[in-house]
């Protein structure tokens, strides 16, 4: 799979926010940065589920991230991203396995994620790992 050591740890806002935001911004068409990714919103997120926001490091350098959420009933995956030069090396798989295990430990039986229709690379990645497409309409509404 790879010949480097990948370590997974929880996100630390003070040390990681700028690097992770840059990773998301450079991830390509699959990650959409919005208001919920602003510093104050990420601080709210990690106050709720600090153990579900993970980073992957190689030699102390962040090369991937996944952000999970659990509402007490269902899990949701946000922003799985791996730096371009480290893709296809198993890092996304390691991150997904870890966040899925953490969901299980919380008693989560089902999780969801959103993928844009044009992101074929992500669709193939998730389907290979047992995720199935659901025929749904997704609605959104800004509350302020």
């Amino acid at each position: 799979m790879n010949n480097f050591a990948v370590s997974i740890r929880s996100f630390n806002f003070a040390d990681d926010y700028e690097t992770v935001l840059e990773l998301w911004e450079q991830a390509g068409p699959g990650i959409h940065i919005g208001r919920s990714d602003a510093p104050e919103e990420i601080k709210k997120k990690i106050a709720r589920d600090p153990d579900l926001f993970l980073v992957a490091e190689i030699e102390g350098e962040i090369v991937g991230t996944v952000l999970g959420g659990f509402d007490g009933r269902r899990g949701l995956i946000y922003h799985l991203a791996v730096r371009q030069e480290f893709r296809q090396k198993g890092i996304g798989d390691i991150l997904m396995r870890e966040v899925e295990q953490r969901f299980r430990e919380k008693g989560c039986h089902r999780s969801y994620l959103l993928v844009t229709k044009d992101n074929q690379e992500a669709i193939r990645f998730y389907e290979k790992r047992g995720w199935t497409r659901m025929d749904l309409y997704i609605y959104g509404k800004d509350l302020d």
Side-chain angles (χ1 to χ4, degrees):
M1 178 167 73
N2 61 53
N3 52 357
F4 45 79
V6 178
S7 62
I8 303 297
R9 65 170 175 80
S10 293
F11 172 88
N12 176 289
F13 183 86
D15 297 333
D16 301 335
Y17 178 76
E18 292 298 325
T19 302
V20 167
L21 182 63
E22 183 178 323
L23 173 66
W24 291 342
E25 290 171 339
Q26 296 176 1
I31 302 239
H32 302 274
I33 305 300
R35 291 186 312 179
S36 60
D37 300 309
E40 61 277 3
E41 297 301 312
I42 294 297
K43 286 179 183 177
K44 287 192 296 190
K45 168 64 187 105
I46 59 176
R48 179 177 173 90
D49 295 311
D51 57 327
L52 296 177
F53 193 165
L54 306 174
V55 296
E57 290 182 321
I58 296 174
E59 296 180 0
E61 183 179 349
I62 295 174
V63 297
T65 184
V66 66
L67 176 56
F70 181 58
D71 65 9
R73 187 165 178 266
R74 299 285 189 249
L76 192 61
I77 302 291
Y78 307 90
H79 292 357
L80 173 66
V82 175
R83 277 191 11 210
Q84 184 66 40
E85 65 269 28
F86 289 97
R87 291 184 186 164
Q88 304 296 316
K89 299 183 185 316
I91 295 168
D93 194 52
I94 292 167
L95 284 163
M96 286 301 293
R97 282 194 318 250
E98 181 65 25
V99 77
E100 287 174 14
Q101 181 57 37
R102 291 181 184 208
F103 281 149
R104 284 185 204 92
E105 290 168 2
K106 291 179 173 290
C108 181
H109 299 288
R110 184 149 181 89
S111 185
Y112 301 104
L113 55 81
L114 305 175
V115 179
T116 57
K117 292 177 185 179
D118 63 340
N119 192 347
Q120 291 300 310
E121 182 180 5
I123 290 168
R124 285 188 301 274
F125 174 86
Y126 292 120
E127 288 180 352
K128 182 178 176 183
R129 285 153 185 83
W131 291 79
T132 57
R133 187 177 63 86
M134 300 172 68
D135 193 15
L136 301 170
Y137 292 105
I138 302 297
Y139 291 86
K141 178 181 179 181
D142 289 334
L143 300 177
D144 53 7

